[in-house]
Amino acid sequence: MIELLAPVGSKEAFYAAIHNHADAVYLGGKQFGARAYANNFSNDEIKTMISEAHLFDVKVYVTVNTIIYDDEIEELIEFLDFLYLNGCDAIIVQDLGVANIVRHRYPEFDLHASTQMNIHSIEQVKLLKDLGFKRVVLARELSIEEISDIKKAVDIEVEVFVHGALCVSCSGNCYFSSLVGKRSGNRGRCAQPCRLLYSQNNDSGYLLSPKDLNSLERVNLLIEAGIDSLKIEGRMKRPEYVAQIVQSYRGAINSYFDHTPFDFEKNQKELEKIFNRGFTKGFLFHEDNDNFINKEYSNHIGIEVGRVVFSNNDYVLIKLNDQVQKGDSLRIVGREIDAITINQMYVGKRLVEKAVSGTTIRLRAHKGNLDKGIVFLTTSNEQINNLQTSYLTKMRKIKLSGRVFLENEYLSLVVSDGKNFVQVKSPKPVEPAKNFPSNDRILDQINKTANTDFEFTNLKLDIDKPIFISVKEINELRRQALVKFAAVKSKWHYQRKIQSFVFEASPARKPTPRMKVKVRNQEQLQAVLNYPVTDIYVTDKDLLNYQSQFPEIKFAYVTGRIMKEEFSQDLLPTKIVSSTLRKFRGANTSIYLNIANIYAINLLERLQANSVGLSLEMSFNQIKNLVDEYQKSFISSPNLEMMVYGRYELMIMKYQLDRSRGDKLKDRKGFEFPIIVDNDGYLRILNSKKIHLYEYLREIYCLGISVILDFTIETYQEVIDVCDIYFYHIEKQLEDVTYGHFKEGVL
């Protein structure tokens, strides 16, 4: 049976998932989770939820899927210790350093690779399995066919997002929020600048805001592709949202396996009502480029329920094409936009609480200019009430069998679910019945489980003589049995042991820092060849041909950040700079691999990485601390590099903006973000400003770190100006520059 995995951002959402029959839930603690603005949970709350979930045979996965800095490692290990010893079923990780620690310290902890790790190829999945991962959450840009191929090629669990909000950027590859607002998506604090208004010459709107993914009608294809877990997005969503999505997908899954009918049309309407930005089948099912983005709206739009036939500043008349009722929320989009909650609704002069399709209703309005406006239902009061009932009344029950009997004159109760069982007995012997037998009441009292998570489906009384026992004692016997049973059933991982770990020292080395140059075209290459360069990174394979003309210079090819296939051996091992996880075989790693701590570097070195690019989200103090910690822990110096000049890539997207409208994107503040397309066809949005750290060059070199000048859209003369500064220390003024995160880091 395929797993249905639900998001949990609140205690109410937890119960919504459990009681609507999710198989597993994922949630975050107060730190280290990629949804820092959700109502994340304290350790005590997580411990309780793990126990409660296990009662219902529901697994709990905890997100530890941010990048981690070295000064957070001690706190991280304390949190991981807590999760491991308190029965967490798996952790979802992005940071390679976290994975490295987990595999050394927690031998029985299941590791799930977060979608933030940008995993999209068979080779990457094979590597993760070798590193000890049990499951991979695949990149949302993969098609169902590619996912099926991965599942067939690698014996590992595969998890796929099937419903909810989409990132327009490839996951783990977005720095938009980080660079424009210091709120890092890789640290769980994304401010979602993609949901804001942008313009591209004469085209404007929510140009980067995707519709919501909806795979309900294709659940059969997901199951047949061999996917192990269907993941619902939504830890920031209300509990009613969780209840509805789980309810609908559970119905579709059960329909497939039980060969029973399922009303897709009705459920699609319920999904639209609870939350939608418009729906898309996504790259998962080959959505057309034109149907991926909702340029008109960036938030919930609901369903259309009518049109305005008249309005003024006092009231509005609406001709309905669907029913509405008191308590519903509407949005009216005409020349003006109005939001109305229905408190008083009239049909003619009659006050009504419900109105059906074809009826004209009158509501109080806040503004005029709504004539011919479209009316959307954004909250259905009836739907919300029904969904709340589904989890507030504890509809999901744990089925038990029970047996009541006498043992040495004590009343005993045995409770079992077929796998676990407990026995309790009355605190004192029962008495013979005097005036009337109480046997008939015993089963009635023990069966009273309405306010618990349990119900007896088979309860037997094996007593062959009349006895007396008070109702209070029977109730206490039932209570003790259920409490004891819950404690036994919820304890899944009670024999786990933590291992101490010490990493071996690295080979002694003291790297010599160098200045490296990265170019995209022949014009830029010709410019940098005027300078004493020792290392040139190229993003165009044809530029590698210059290696024969300049044997004294080391050329290397920078791979794409989305790679479906391994490179052939003729480019390995010394000519690669990789932006994706792989067996490096002497290659370097780029700054876009999100490396920010010594344990991530250690893992990359074990994978034979030659040099490691540091995350662009690190401050100087964090970089210095990393170098110090590495030297103390591994008795050596790390071979590192970082970017000191150039435009950071804010996003990399499979979605294609119409470049005929221009090669720049402008935000509401007037900042312009250049657009380029890489050799693999992925679109990249560059920062409006260039990082420029020349004044800190000496301090960086003193740490033994090599530096990169990264040229993307610069002209020949602009490359000359930058190289004059960095190679010959000629004073020149550069415009539109920034320190990035070098001084202060990210939030």
Side-chain angles (χ1 to χ4, degrees):
M1 192 76 168
I2 198 166
E3 178 184 271
L4 181 58
L5 176 58
V8 169
S10 67
K11 285 297 291 288
E12 294 78 13
F14 173 77
Y15 291 116
I18 296 291
H19 290 291
N20 283 283
H21 297 270
D23 299 304
V25 298
Y26 65 104
L27 53 89
K30 294 295 185 182
Q31 62 279 319
F32 311 126
R35 287 292 182 271
Y37 300 117
N39 294 321
N40 294 311
F41 303 104
S42 68
N43 285 4
D44 286 343
E45 288 172 325
I46 292 174
K47 182 178 179 179
T48 299
M49 285 191 287
I50 290 172
S51 294
E52 291 190 32
H54 287 175
L55 277 179
F56 293 94
D57 296 316
V58 172
K59 293 182 178 181
V60 177
Y61 311 140
V62 175
T63 57
V64 190
N65 57 342
T66 60
I67 59 171
I68 307 295
Y69 298 121
D70 287 293
D71 61 2
E72 298 172 316
I73 295 294
E74 185 176 341
E75 183 183 6
L76 168 73
I77 290 176
E78 183 179 330
F79 184 53
L80 292 175
D81 284 356
F82 162 78
L83 295 176
Y84 187 64
L85 296 176
N86 283 281
C88 173
D89 296 288
I91 55 169
I92 306 168
V93 305
Q94 171 190 9
D95 193 300
L96 292 174
V98 177
N100 201 6
I101 291 170
V102 170
R103 282 285 63 90
H104 280 81
R105 186 172 174 84
Y106 313 102
E108 298 175 61
F109 219 159
D110 286 349
L111 268 175
H112 293 183
S114 169
T115 189
Q116 291 288 110
M117 290 187 77
N118 183 29
I119 303 303
H120 46 259
S121 74
I122 290 173
E123 293 303 318
Q124 287 179 309
V125 175
K126 284 181 178 178
L127 176 57
L128 286 173
K129 183 181 179 182
D130 291 343
L131 292 175
F133 281 81
K134 183 179 182 181
R135 177 180 294 187
V136 178
V137 189
L138 290 172
R140 282 175 268 204
E141 291 71 37
L142 291 180
S143 69
I144 188 71
E145 293 84 5
E146 291 170 319
I147 292 168
S148 180
D149 288 344
I150 288 172
K151 182 61 183 175
K152 291 174 184 175
V154 191
D155 182 19
I156 195 172
E157 290 183 6
V158 167
E159 179 178 306
V160 174
F161 278 96
V162 297
H163 194 97
L166 288 167
C167 293
V168 70
S169 174
C170 298
S171 297
N173 287 268
C174 183
Y175 299 92
F176 216 139
S177 176
S178 176
L179 268 299
V180 302
K182 294 187 178 180
R183 291 166 59 178
S184 167
N186 288 307
R187 297 278 291 168
R189 290 178 167 81
C190 180
Q192 296 190 316
C194 54
R195 300 293 183 188
L196 300 177
L197 291 166
Y198 293 91
S199 62
Q200 194 182 8
N201 283 346
N202 296 326
D203 191 23
S204 63
Y206 299 101
L207 303 183
L208 298 177
S209 181
K211 297 178 179 180
D212 286 350
L213 180 63
N214 184 340
S215 308
L216 186 66
E217 293 190 81
R218 299 172 179 84
V219 163
N220 61 319
L221 300 178
L222 296 164
I223 295 171
E224 290 161 8
I227 294 167
D228 298 280
S229 180
L230 305 185
K231 187 171 194 171
I232 299 164
E233 182 279 335
R235 281 198 289 143
M236 301 287 287
K237 297 289 200 311
R238 62 197 296 178
E240 295 85 4
Y241 171 89
V242 175
Q244 182 61 68
I245 311 305
V246 172
Q247 205 174 93
S248 294
Y249 277 82
R250 172 53 62 205
I253 292 169
N254 290 350
S255 172
Y256 177 88
F257 284 105
D258 299 339
H259 307 287
T260 54
F262 180 72
D263 192 337
F264 283 102
E265 186 175 346
K266 177 184 177 183
N267 276 272
Q268 287 285 18
K269 186 173 181 180
E270 295 303 307
L271 296 181
E272 289 176 10
K273 284 195 293 186
I274 198 66
F275 193 93
N276 83 91
R277 297 181 177 92
F279 284 135
T280 174
K281 57 188 178 182
F283 299 120
L284 184 59
F285 291 105
H286 308 284
E287 185 62 272
D288 293 336
N289 195 70
D290 293 341
N291 195 40
F292 188 74
I293 296 290
N294 187 340
K295 290 166 55 176
E296 303 299 322
Y297 303 98
S298 66
N299 214 321
H300 176 44
I301 57 179
I303 63 170
E304 183 181 333
V305 292
R307 298 282 177 132
V308 174
V309 294
F310 176 80
S311 71
N312 59 30
N313 290 332
D314 296 319
Y315 67 90
V316 57
L317 294 179
I318 300 169
K319 180 69 175 290
L320 296 175
N321 56 36
D322 208 330
Q323 75 171 26
V324 296
Q325 67 179 38
K326 185 177 180 180
D328 288 349
S329 296
L330 308 177
R331 180 186 292 121
I332 304 174
V333 181
R335 284 179 293 172
E336 299 275 354
I337 297 177
D338 199 7
I340 299 173
T341 297
I342 301 176
N343 294 315
Q344 291 183 322
M345 175 169 56
Y346 291 86
V347 175
K349 295 183 178 181
R350 182 164 53 93
L351 182 65
V352 299
E353 295 204 350
K354 181 180 287 188
V356 298
S357 177
T359 306
T360 298
I361 62 172
R362 176 164 55 90
L363 302 173
R364 289 188 61 85
H366 306 106
K367 59 185 69 174
N369 294 323
L370 300 174
D371 290 5
K372 299 182 181 180
I374 305 174
V375 183
F376 297 95
L377 173 69
T378 54
T379 302
S380 164
N381 192 48
E382 180 180 30
Q383 182 189 39
I384 295 299
N385 288 337
N386 289 339
L387 292 171
Q388 288 176 347
T389 299
S390 75
Y391 61 89
L392 293 177
T393 56
K394 295 188 175 181
M395 296 183 70
R396 187 175 186 178
K397 294 284 188 178
I398 300 163
K399 312 294 185 182
L400 298 177
S401 62
R403 177 171 169 257
V404 185
F405 59 98
L406 285 178
E407 187 175 47
N408 298 325
E409 300 306 312
Y410 287 86
L411 189 66
S412 289
L413 171 61
V414 170
V415 172
S416 173
D417 65 351
K419 296 179 182 178
N420 308 280
F421 78 96
V422 298
Q423 179 177 345
V424 296
K425 67 178 183 179
S426 58
K428 60 183 181 180
V430 299
E431 301 174 13
K434 295 179 180 179
N435 299 324
F436 59 90
S438 61
N439 299 28
D440 295 341
R441 294 186 305 160
I442 294 174
L443 291 188
D444 290 339
Q445 287 302 124
I446 291 178
N447 255 321
K448 291 183 177 180
T449 59
N451 294 322
T452 73
D453 293 319
F454 305 93
E455 69 177 7
F456 286 100
T457 57
N458 182 17
L459 185 60
K460 295 180 180 179
L461 181 68
D462 289 339
I463 300 176
D464 56 6
K465 63 181 180 180
I467 62 170
F468 173 79
I469 184 170
S470 69
V471 170
K472 180 179 180 181
E473 289 175 303
I474 298 171
N475 289 343
E476 180 61 18
L477 190 71
R478 181 193 65 232
R479 188 193 70 80
Q480 287 183 10
L482 296 183
V483 169
K484 188 175 180 180
F485 180 83
V488 170
K489 185 168 175 24
S490 62
K491 199 76 170 178
W492 285 12
H493 309 289
Y494 58 90
Q495 292 182 325
R496 285 175 168 175
K497 302 293 183 184
I498 293 174
Q499 294 183 173
S500 59
F501 67 95
V502 177
F503 290 97
E504 295 181 4
S506 297
R509 66 187 171 200
K510 189 173 183 180
T512 301
R514 302 197 298 273
M515 185 170 295
K516 305 178 181 184
V517 178
K518 179 181 171 186
V519 297
R520 289 185 67 238
N521 56 47
Q522 187 172 351
E523 181 184 42
Q524 293 169 349
L525 177 60
Q526 293 292 349
V528 302
L529 288 173
N530 293 307
Y531 297 86
V533 295
T534 58
D535 299 81
I536 296 178
Y537 292 169
V538 301
T539 58
D540 183 344
K541 288 181 188 176
D542 291 340
L543 297 180
L544 291 174
N545 295 328
Y546 282 83
Q547 174 78 76
S548 59
Q549 299 179 40
F550 300 94
E552 73 281 6
I553 299 175
K554 295 179 180 179
F555 280 70
Y557 177 66
V558 182
T559 68
R561 285 160 66 191
I562 307 297
M563 280 182 55
K564 300 295 177 63
E565 297 178 357
E566 287 285 274
F567 275 97
S568 59
Q569 290 296 321
D570 63 338
L571 282 173
L572 296 173
T574 60
K575 296 182 178 180
I576 294 292
V577 180
S578 180
S579 301
T580 59
L581 182 63
R582 55 180 290 133
K583 292 179 180 177
F584 294 98
R585 305 189 186 105
N588 294 351
T589 79
S590 87
I591 65 169
Y592 294 107
L593 206 55
N594 294 329
I595 303 302
N597 61 69
I598 63 172
Y599 297 105
I601 295 171
N602 172 264
L603 181 56
L604 292 179
E605 289 174 339
R606 296 205 327 259
L607 294 173
Q608 300 178 16
N610 173 56
S611 177
V612 175
L614 290 176
S615 168
L616 60 89
E617 295 189 316
M618 298 185 74
S619 69
F620 176 73
N621 288 335
Q622 289 168 329
I623 294 170
K624 185 178 185 304
N625 183 54
L626 180 146
V627 172
D628 291 343
E629 289 295 323
Y630 187 97
Q631 290 170 342
K632 285 190 292 185
S633 298
F634 300 111
I635 323 300
S636 181
S637 294
N639 193 11
L640 306 174
E641 56 189 50
M642 61 178 287
M643 181 171 158
V644 294
Y645 170 84
R647 295 179 187 269
Y648 287 137
E649 295 177 2
L650 301 186
M651 282 186 174
I652 176 169
M653 305 187 299
K654 187 173 183 178
Y655 168 71
Q656 298 293 306
L657 287 163
D658 184 356
R659 295 188 70 217
S660 68
R661 298 180 183 275
D663 57 3
K664 291 182 180 178
L665 201 65
K666 183 184 290 188
D667 70 9
R668 67 197 193 284
K669 294 182 179 180
F671 289 105
E672 292 185 331
F673 303 92
I675 302 168
I676 61 174
V677 176
D678 65 19
N679 294 334
D680 300 310
Y682 284 83
L683 187 147
R684 305 182 187 218
I685 299 177
L686 306 179
N687 197 13
S688 60
K689 295 185 177 182
K690 296 157 286 192
I691 190 82
H692 183 32
L693 301 178
Y694 172 75
E695 63 187 275
Y696 294 98
L697 209 53
R698 180 182 294 274
E699 287 95 329
I700 295 169
Y701 276 155
C702 285
L703 294 177
I705 300 174
S706 294
V707 299
I708 303 169
L709 309 180
D710 188 342
F711 298 111
T712 49
I713 61 171
E714 284 82 357
T715 64
Y716 181 93
Q717 185 56 51
E718 287 171 334
V719 173
I720 292 293
D721 290 340
V722 172
C723 289
D724 279 350
I725 296 171
Y726 281 87
F727 282 98
Y728 294 146
H729 312 293
I730 298 172
E731 289 191 16
K732 289 189 176 183
Q733 194 72 27
L734 301 181
E735 296 182 351
D736 297 323
V737 296
T738 176
Y739 294 114
H741 295 304
F742 190 75
K743 286 188 173 183
E744 299 177 355
V746 297
L747 295 177

